[in-house]
Coordinates of all heavy atoms in Angstrom, one line a residue:
M7 N 71.5 87.7 102.8 CA 71.9 88.5 103.9 C 72.4 89.9 103.5 O 73.0 90.0 102.4 CB 73.1 87.8 104.7 CG 73.7 88.6 105.7 SD 75.2 87.9 106.5 CE 74.4 87.0 107.8
R8 N 72.1 90.9 104.3 CA 72.6 92.2 104.0 C 73.7 92.5 105.0 O 73.7 92.1 106.1 CB 71.5 93.2 104.2 CG 70.5 93.2 103.0 CD 69.5 94.4 103.2 NE 68.7 94.4 102.1 CZ 67.9 95.4 101.8 NH1 67.9 96.5 102.6 NH2 67.2 95.4 100.7
V9 N 74.7 93.3 104.4 CA 75.9 93.6 105.3 C 76.1 95.1 105.1 O 75.7 95.8 104.1 CB 77.1 92.8 104.9 CG1 76.9 91.3 105.1 CG2 77.5 93.1 103.4
D10 N 76.8 95.7 106.1 CA 77.4 97.0 106.0 C 78.9 96.8 105.7 O 79.5 96.0 106.3 CB 77.2 97.8 107.3 CG 75.7 98.0 107.6 OD1 74.9 98.2 106.6 OD2 75.3 98.1 108.7
I11 N 79.4 97.7 104.8 CA 80.8 97.6 104.4 C 81.6 98.8 105.0 O 81.1 99.9 104.9 CB 80.9 97.6 102.9 CG1 80.1 96.5 102.2 CG2 82.4 97.6 102.4 CD1 80.6 95.1 102.4
Y12 N 82.8 98.5 105.5 CA 83.7 99.5 106.0 C 85.0 99.4 105.2 O 85.3 98.4 104.7 CB 83.9 99.3 107.5 CG 82.7 99.5 108.3 CD1 81.9 98.4 108.6 CD2 82.4 100.7 108.9 CE1 80.7 98.6 109.3 CE2 81.2 100.9 109.6 CZ 80.4 99.8 109.8 OH 79.3 100.0 110.6
C13 N 85.7 100.5 105.2 CA 86.9 100.6 104.4 C 88.0 101.2 105.3 O 87.7 102.1 106.1 CB 86.7 101.5 103.2 SG 88.1 101.7 102.1
R14 N 89.2 100.8 105.0 CA 90.4 101.5 105.6 C 91.4 101.7 104.6 O 91.6 100.9 103.7 CB 90.9 100.8 106.8 CG 91.7 99.6 106.5 CD 92.4 99.0 107.8 NE 93.0 97.8 107.4 CZ 93.2 96.7 108.2 NH1 92.7 96.7 109.4 NH2 93.8 95.6 107.7
D15 N 92.1 102.8 104.7 CA 93.2 103.1 103.7 C 94.5 102.4 104.1 O 94.8 102.2 105.3 CB 93.5 104.6 103.7 CG 92.3 105.4 103.3 OD1 91.5 104.9 102.5 OD2 92.1 106.6 103.8
E16 N 95.1 101.9 103.1 CA 96.4 101.2 103.2 C 97.5 102.0 102.5 O 97.2 103.0 101.9 CB 96.3 99.8 102.7 CG 95.2 98.9 103.2 CD 95.5 98.4 104.7 OE1 96.6 98.6 105.1 OE2 94.6 97.8 105.3
A17 N 98.7 101.5 102.5 CA 99.8 102.2 101.9 C 99.6 102.2 100.3 O 98.9 101.3 99.8 CB 101.1 101.5 102.2
Q18 N 100.1 103.1 99.7 CA 100.2 103.2 98.2 C 98.8 103.2 97.6 O 98.6 102.6 96.5 CB 101.0 102.0 97.6 CG 102.4 102.0 98.1 CD 103.2 100.8 97.7 OE1 102.7 99.9 97.2 NE2 104.5 100.9 97.9
G19 N 97.9 103.9 98.2 CA 96.5 104.1 97.6 C 95.7 102.9 97.6 O 94.7 102.8 96.8
K20 N 96.0 101.9 98.4 CA 95.2 100.6 98.4 C 94.2 100.7 99.6 O 94.3 101.5 100.5 CB 96.1 99.4 98.5 CG 97.0 99.3 97.3 CD 97.9 98.1 97.4 CE 98.8 98.0 96.1 NZ 99.5 96.8 96.1
H21 N 93.2 99.8 99.6 CA 92.2 99.7 100.6 C 91.9 98.3 101.1 O 92.1 97.4 100.3 CB 90.9 100.3 100.1 CG 91.0 101.7 99.6 ND1 91.0 102.8 100.5 CD2 91.1 102.2 98.4 CE1 91.1 103.9 99.7 NE2 91.2 103.6 98.5
S22 N 91.5 98.2 102.3 CA 91.0 96.9 102.8 C 89.5 97.1 103.1 O 89.1 98.3 103.5 CB 91.7 96.5 104.1 OG 93.0 96.1 103.8
Y23 N 88.7 96.1 103.0 CA 87.3 96.2 103.3 C 86.8 95.2 104.4 O 87.4 94.1 104.5 CB 86.5 95.9 102.0 CG 86.8 97.0 101.0 CD1 87.7 96.8 100.0 CD2 86.1 98.2 101.0 CE1 88.0 97.7 99.0 CE2 86.4 99.2 100.0 CZ 87.3 98.9 99.1 OH 87.6 99.9 98.1
L24 N 85.9 95.6 105.1 CA 85.3 94.8 106.2 C 83.8 94.7 106.0 O 83.2 95.8 105.8 CB 85.7 95.4 107.5 CG 85.2 94.7 108.8 CD1 86.1 93.5 109.2 CD2 85.1 95.7 110.0
A25 N 83.2 93.6 106.1 CA 81.7 93.4 106.0 C 81.2 92.9 107.4 O 81.8 91.9 107.9 CB 81.4 92.5 104.9
V26 N 80.2 93.5 107.9 CA 79.5 93.0 109.1 C 78.0 92.9 108.8 O 77.5 93.6 107.9 CB 79.8 93.9 110.3 CG1 81.2 93.9 110.7 CG2 79.2 95.3 110.1
P27 N 77.3 92.0 109.5 CA 75.8 91.9 109.2 C 75.2 93.3 109.4 O 75.6 94.1 110.3 CB 75.4 91.0 110.3 CG 76.6 90.1 110.6 CD 77.7 91.0 110.4
E28 N 74.3 93.6 108.6 CA 73.6 94.9 108.6 C 73.2 95.3 110.0 O 72.5 94.6 110.7 CB 72.3 94.9 107.7 CG 71.6 96.1 107.6 CD 70.4 96.0 106.7 OE1 69.7 94.9 106.7 OE2 70.1 96.9 105.9
G29 N 73.5 96.6 110.4 CA 73.1 97.1 111.7 C 74.0 96.7 112.9 O 73.8 97.1 114.0
K30 N 74.9 95.7 112.7 CA 75.7 95.2 113.8 C 77.0 96.1 113.9 O 77.5 96.6 112.9 CB 76.1 93.8 113.5 CG 75.0 92.8 113.5 CD 74.4 92.5 114.8 CE 73.4 91.5 114.7 NZ 72.7 91.2 116.0
P31 N 77.6 96.2 115.1 CA 78.8 97.0 115.2 C 80.0 96.1 114.7 O 79.9 94.9 114.6 CB 78.9 97.2 116.7 CG 78.2 96.1 117.3 CD 77.0 95.8 116.4
I32 N 81.1 96.8 114.4 CA 82.3 96.1 114.1 C 82.8 95.3 115.3 O 82.8 95.9 116.4 CB 83.4 97.1 113.7 CG1 83.0 97.8 112.4 CG2 84.8 96.4 113.5 CD1 83.9 98.9 112.0
P33 N 83.1 94.0 115.2 CA 83.5 93.3 116.4 C 84.8 93.9 117.0 O 85.6 94.5 116.3 CB 83.8 91.9 115.8 CG 83.0 91.8 114.6 CD 82.9 93.2 114.0
Q34 N 84.9 93.7 118.3 CA 85.9 94.4 119.1 C 87.3 94.1 118.5 O 88.2 94.9 118.5 CB 85.8 94.1 120.5 CG 86.8 94.9 121.4 CD 86.4 94.9 122.9 OE1 85.5 94.3 123.2 NE2 87.2 95.5 123.7
E35 N 87.6 92.8 118.1 CA 88.9 92.5 117.6 C 89.3 93.2 116.4 O 90.5 93.2 116.0 CB 89.1 91.0 117.5 CG 88.2 90.3 116.4 CD 86.9 89.8 116.9 OE1 86.4 90.2 117.9 OE2 86.3 89.1 116.1
A36 N 88.3 93.8 115.7 CA 88.6 94.5 114.4 C 88.5 96.0 114.6 O 88.6 96.7 113.6 CB 87.6 94.0 113.3
T37 N 88.2 96.5 115.8 CA 88.1 97.9 116.0 C 89.3 98.7 116.2 O 89.3 99.9 116.4 CB 87.1 98.2 117.1 OG1 87.6 97.7 118.3 CG2 85.7 97.7 116.8
N38 N 90.5 98.1 116.2 CA 91.7 98.7 116.6 C 92.3 99.5 115.4 O 93.4 100.0 115.5 CB 92.7 97.8 117.1 CG 93.1 96.6 116.2 OD1 92.4 96.4 115.2 ND2 94.1 95.9 116.5
T39 N 91.6 99.5 114.3 CA 92.1 100.3 113.1 C 91.0 101.3 112.7 O 89.9 101.3 113.2 CB 92.4 99.3 111.9 OG1 91.2 98.6 111.6 CG2 93.5 98.4 112.2
D40 N 91.4 102.2 111.8 CA 90.5 103.3 111.4 C 89.6 102.9 110.2 O 89.9 103.1 109.1 CB 91.3 104.5 111.0 CG 92.0 105.1 112.2 OD1 91.5 105.0 113.3 OD2 93.1 105.7 112.0
W41 N 88.5 102.2 110.5 CA 87.5 101.8 109.5 C 86.5 103.0 109.4 O 86.1 103.6 110.3 CB 86.7 100.6 110.0 CG 87.6 99.4 110.0 CD1 88.1 98.8 111.2 CD2 88.1 98.6 109.0 NE1 88.8 97.6 110.9 CE2 88.8 97.5 109.5 CE3 87.9 98.6 107.6 CZ2 89.4 96.5 108.7 CZ3 88.5 97.7 106.8 CH2 89.2 96.6 107.3
H42 N 86.2 103.3 108.1 CA 85.1 104.3 107.9 C 84.0 103.7 107.0 O 84.3 102.8 106.2 CB 85.7 105.6 107.3 CG 86.4 105.4 106.0 ND1 87.8 105.2 106.0 CD2 86.0 105.5 104.7 CE1 88.1 105.1 104.7 NE2 87.1 105.3 103.9
P43 N 82.8 104.1 107.2 CA 81.7 103.5 106.4 C 81.9 103.7 104.9 O 82.3 104.8 104.5 CB 80.5 104.3 106.9 CG 80.9 104.9 108.2 CD 82.3 105.1 108.1
E44 N 81.6 102.6 104.2 CA 81.8 102.6 102.7 C 80.4 102.5 102.1 O 80.1 103.2 101.1 CB 82.7 101.5 102.3 CG 82.9 101.3 100.8 CD 83.8 102.4 100.2 OE1 84.4 103.1 100.9 OE2 83.7 102.5 98.9
A45 N 79.6 101.5 102.6 CA 78.3 101.2 102.0 C 77.4 100.5 103.0 O 77.9 99.8 103.9 CB 78.4 100.3 100.7
Q46 N 76.1 100.7 102.9 CA 75.2 100.1 103.8 C 74.2 99.3 103.0 O 73.9 99.6 101.9 CB 74.4 101.1 104.7 CG 75.3 101.9 105.6 CD 74.5 102.8 106.5 OE1 73.7 103.6 106.0 NE2 74.8 102.8 107.8
H47 N 73.6 98.3 103.7 CA 72.5 97.5 103.1 C 72.9 96.8 101.8 O 72.2 96.7 100.9 CB 71.3 98.3 102.8 CG 71.0 99.3 103.9 ND1 70.6 99.0 105.2 CD2 71.0 100.7 103.9 CE1 70.3 100.1 105.9 NE2 70.6 101.1 105.1
V48 N 74.2 96.3 101.8 CA 74.7 95.6 100.6 C 74.2 94.1 100.7 O 74.4 93.4 101.7 CB 76.2 95.6 100.5 CG1 76.8 94.8 99.4 CG2 76.7 97.1 100.5
E49 N 73.6 93.7 99.6 CA 73.0 92.3 99.6 C 74.1 91.3 99.2 O 74.8 91.5 98.2 CB 71.9 92.2 98.6 CG 71.1 90.9 98.6 CD 70.3 90.7 99.9 OE1 69.7 91.7 100.4 OE2 70.3 89.6 100.3
V50 N 74.3 90.2 99.9 CA 75.1 89.1 99.6 C 74.3 88.0 99.1 O 73.4 87.5 99.8 CB 76.0 88.7 100.8 CG1 76.9 87.5 100.4 CG2 76.8 89.8 101.4
D51 N 74.5 87.6 97.9 CA 73.7 86.5 97.3 C 74.1 85.2 97.9 O 75.2 84.8 97.9 CB 74.0 86.5 95.8 CG 73.1 85.5 95.0 OD1 72.5 84.6 95.6 OD2 73.1 85.6 93.8
D52 N 73.1 84.5 98.5 CA 73.3 83.3 99.2 C 73.9 82.2 98.3 O 74.6 81.3 98.7 CB 72.1 82.7 99.8 CG 71.6 83.6 101.0 OD1 72.4 84.3 101.6 OD2 70.4 83.5 101.4
D53 N 73.6 82.3 97.0 CA 74.0 81.2 96.0 C 75.4 81.5 95.5 O 76.1 80.6 95.1 CB 73.1 81.2 94.8 CG 71.7 80.7 95.2 OD1 71.6 79.9 96.2 OD2 70.7 81.2 94.6
H54 N 76.0 82.7 95.7 CA 77.3 83.0 95.1 C 78.3 83.3 96.2 O 79.5 83.2 96.0 CB 77.2 84.1 94.1 CG 76.5 83.7 92.9 ND1 75.1 84.0 92.7 CD2 76.9 83.0 91.8 CE1 74.7 83.5 91.5 NE2 75.8 82.9 91.0
D55 N 77.8 83.8 97.4 CA 78.7 84.1 98.5 C 80.0 84.8 98.1 O 81.1 84.4 98.5 CB 79.0 82.8 99.3 CG 79.6 83.0 100.6 OD1 79.5 84.1 101.2 OD2 80.3 82.1 101.2
Q56 N 79.8 85.9 97.4 CA 81.0 86.7 97.0 C 80.6 88.2 97.1 O 79.5 88.6 96.9 CB 81.4 86.4 95.5 CG 81.8 85.0 95.3 CD 83.2 84.7 95.9 OE1 84.1 85.5 95.9 NE2 83.4 83.5 96.5
L57 N 81.6 89.0 97.3 CA 81.5 90.5 97.2 C 82.6 90.9 96.4 O 83.6 91.5 96.9 CB 81.5 91.1 98.6 CG 80.2 91.0 99.4 CD1 80.4 91.4 100.9 CD2 79.0 91.7 98.8
P58 N 82.6 90.7 95.1 CA 83.8 91.0 94.2 C 84.2 92.5 94.2 O 85.4 92.8 94.1 CB 83.4 90.5 92.9 CG 81.9 90.4 92.9 CD 81.5 90.1 94.3
H59 N 83.2 93.4 94.3 CA 83.5 94.8 94.3 C 84.4 95.2 95.4 O 85.3 96.1 95.3 CB 82.3 95.6 94.3 CG 82.5 97.1 94.2 ND1 82.9 97.7 93.0 CD2 82.5 98.0 95.2 CE1 83.1 99.0 93.3 NE2 82.8 99.2 94.6
Y60 N 84.3 94.4 96.5 CA 85.1 94.7 97.7 C 86.2 93.7 98.0 O 86.8 93.7 99.0 CB 84.2 94.8 99.0 CG 83.1 95.8 98.8 CD1 81.8 95.5 98.5 CD2 83.4 97.2 98.8 CE1 80.8 96.4 98.3 CE2 82.4 98.2 98.6 CZ 81.1 97.8 98.4 OH 80.2 98.7 98.2
H61 N 86.4 92.8 97.0 CA 87.4 91.8 97.1 C 87.3 90.9 98.3 O 88.3 90.5 98.9 CB 88.8 92.4 97.0 CG 88.9 93.3 95.8 ND1 89.1 92.8 94.5 CD2 88.8 94.7 95.7 CE1 89.2 93.8 93.7 NE2 89.0 95.0 94.3
I62 N 86.1 90.6 98.7 CA 85.8 89.8 99.9 C 85.3 88.4 99.3 O 84.3 88.4 98.7 CB 84.8 90.4 100.8 CG1 85.3 91.7 101.4 CG2 84.5 89.4 102.0 CD1 84.3 92.4 102.2
E63 N 86.1 87.4 99.6 CA 85.7 86.0 99.2 C 85.0 85.3 100.3 O 85.4 85.4 101.5 CB 86.9 85.3 98.7 CG 87.5 85.8 97.5 CD 88.7 85.0 97.0 OE1 88.9 83.8 97.4 OE2 89.4 85.5 96.1
H64 N 83.9 84.6 100.0 CA 83.1 83.8 101.0 C 82.7 84.6 102.2 O 83.0 84.2 103.3 CB 83.9 82.6 101.4 CG 84.4 81.8 100.2 ND1 83.5 81.2 99.3 CD2 85.6 81.6 99.7 CE1 84.2 80.6 98.3 NE2 85.5 80.9 98.5
P65 N 82.1 85.8 102.0 CA 81.7 86.6 103.2 C 80.8 85.9 104.1 O 80.9 86.1 105.4 CB 81.1 87.9 102.6 CG 80.7 87.5 101.2 CD 81.7 86.4 100.8
L66 N 79.8 85.1 103.6 CA 78.9 84.4 104.5 C 79.6 83.4 105.4 O 79.3 83.3 106.6 CB 77.8 83.8 103.7 CG 76.9 84.7 102.9 CD1 75.9 84.0 102.1 CD2 76.2 85.8 103.8
A67 N 80.5 82.7 104.8 CA 81.3 81.7 105.6 C 82.2 82.4 106.6 O 82.2 82.0 107.8 CB 82.2 80.9 104.7
Q68 N 82.8 83.5 106.3 CA 83.6 84.3 107.2 C 82.8 84.9 108.3 O 83.2 84.8 109.5 CB 84.3 85.4 106.5 CG 85.5 85.0 105.6 CD 86.2 86.2 105.1 OE1 86.8 87.0 105.9 NE2 86.3 86.5 103.8
I69 N 81.6 85.4 108.0 CA 80.7 86.0 109.0 C 80.3 84.9 110.0 O 80.2 85.1 111.2 CB 79.6 86.7 108.4 CG1 80.1 88.0 107.7 CG2 78.5 87.0 109.4 CD1 79.1 88.7 106.8
G70 N 79.9 83.7 109.4 CA 79.5 82.6 110.3 C 80.6 82.2 111.2 O 80.4 81.8 112.4
A71 N 81.9 82.2 110.8 CA 83.0 81.8 111.6 C 83.4 82.8 112.6 O 83.8 82.4 113.7 CB 84.2 81.4 110.7
K72 N 83.4 84.1 112.3 CA 84.0 85.1 113.2 C 83.2 86.3 113.4 O 83.6 87.2 114.1 CB 85.5 85.4 112.7 CG 85.6 85.9 111.3 CD 87.0 86.1 110.9 CE 87.1 86.4 109.4 NZ 88.4 86.3 108.8
G73 N 82.0 86.4 112.7 CA 81.2 87.6 112.9 C 81.4 88.7 112.0 O 80.7 89.7 112.0
Y74 N 82.4 88.6 111.1 CA 82.7 89.6 110.1 C 83.5 89.0 109.0 O 84.0 87.9 109.1 CB 83.5 90.8 110.7 CG 84.9 90.4 111.2 CD1 86.0 90.5 110.4 CD2 85.1 90.0 112.5 CE1 87.3 90.2 110.8 CE2 86.3 89.7 113.0 CZ 87.4 89.8 112.1 OH 88.7 89.4 112.6
A75 N 83.6 89.7 107.8 CA 84.3 89.2 106.7 C 85.3 90.3 106.3 O 85.0 91.5 106.4 CB 83.4 88.9 105.5
I76 N 86.5 89.9 105.9 CA 87.5 90.9 105.6 C 88.2 90.5 104.4 O 88.4 89.3 104.1 CB 88.5 91.1 106.8 CG1 89.3 92.3 106.6 CG2 89.3 89.8 107.1 CD1 90.0 92.8 107.9
T77 N 88.7 91.5 103.6 CA 89.5 91.3 102.5 C 91.0 91.6 102.7 O 91.2 92.3 103.7 CB 89.0 92.1 101.3 OG1 89.7 91.8 100.1 CG2 89.1 93.6 101.6
G78 N 91.8 91.2 101.8 CA 93.2 91.6 101.9 C 93.3 93.0 101.2 O 92.3 93.6 100.9
V79 N 94.4 93.5 101.1 CA 94.6 94.8 100.4 C 94.3 94.7 99.0 O 94.7 93.8 98.3 CB 96.1 95.3 100.7 CG1 96.3 96.6 100.0 CG2 96.4 95.4 102.1
S80 N 93.5 95.7 98.5 CA 93.2 95.7 97.1 C 93.6 97.0 96.4 O 93.9 98.0 97.1 CB 91.6 95.5 96.9 OG 91.0 96.6 97.5
Q81 N 93.5 97.0 95.1 CA 93.9 98.2 94.4 C 92.8 99.3 94.5 O 91.6 98.9 94.6 CB 94.0 97.9 92.9 CG 95.2 97.1 92.5 CD 96.5 97.8 92.8 OE1 96.6 99.1 92.7 NE2 97.5 97.1 93.1
Q82 N 93.1 100.5 94.6 CA 92.2 101.6 94.7 C 91.5 101.8 93.3 O 92.2 101.8 92.3 CB 92.8 102.9 95.1 CG 91.9 104.1 95.2 CD 92.6 105.3 95.7 OE1 93.8 105.3 96.1 NE2 92.0 106.4 95.6
F83 N 90.2 102.0 93.2 CA 89.6 102.2 91.9 C 89.4 103.7 91.7 O 89.2 104.5 92.5 CB 88.2 101.5 91.9 CG 88.3 100.0 92.0 CD1 88.2 99.4 93.2 CD2 88.7 99.3 90.9 CE1 88.3 98.0 93.3 CE2 88.8 97.9 91.0 CZ 88.7 97.3 92.2

């Protein structure tokens, strides 16, 4: 599956990331914050179901359950 990644700035130089299926809008329940595009057409490996660069665990399962996948706050690189 391919996803588009969005980012939002958090306190102390940290970021949160949101993944949605490629070409889909951010679901309404997640649009109340300032997400900006980070990457497009990112491939999620069906066998590993991880996006470690964006600190998103089990993105395919999260997308299946709620239409998007989200990470907690991570360190800025």
Side-chain angles (χ1 to χ4, degrees):
M7 171 186 272
R8 285 187 175 193
V9 297
D10 295 329
I11 306 289
Y12 295 87
C13 178
R14 76 173 174 212
D15 298 327
E16 302 287 352
Q18 300 174 347
K20 297 181 181 185
H21 302 282
S22 290
Y23 296 96
L24 178 83
V26 297
E28 181 179 42
K30 300 283 185 183
I32 296 173
Q34 189 164 358
E35 67 268 17
T37 60
N38 60 347
T39 58
D40 292 329
W41 295 104
H42 58 271
E44 176 76 14
Q46 293 183 315
H47 319 295
V48 176
E49 188 69 38
V50 179
D51 185 344
D52 291 339
D53 295 328
H54 293 95
D55 193 19
Q56 297 289 322
L57 287 170
H59 182 74
Y60 303 105
H61 307 281
I62 299 175
E63 295 185 10
H64 309 293
L66 298 176
Q68 288 190 58
I69 290 169
K72 57 189 174 193
Y74 64 92
I76 194 165
T77 183
V79 177
S80 63
Q81 292 292 332
Q82 179 179 350
F83 295 99

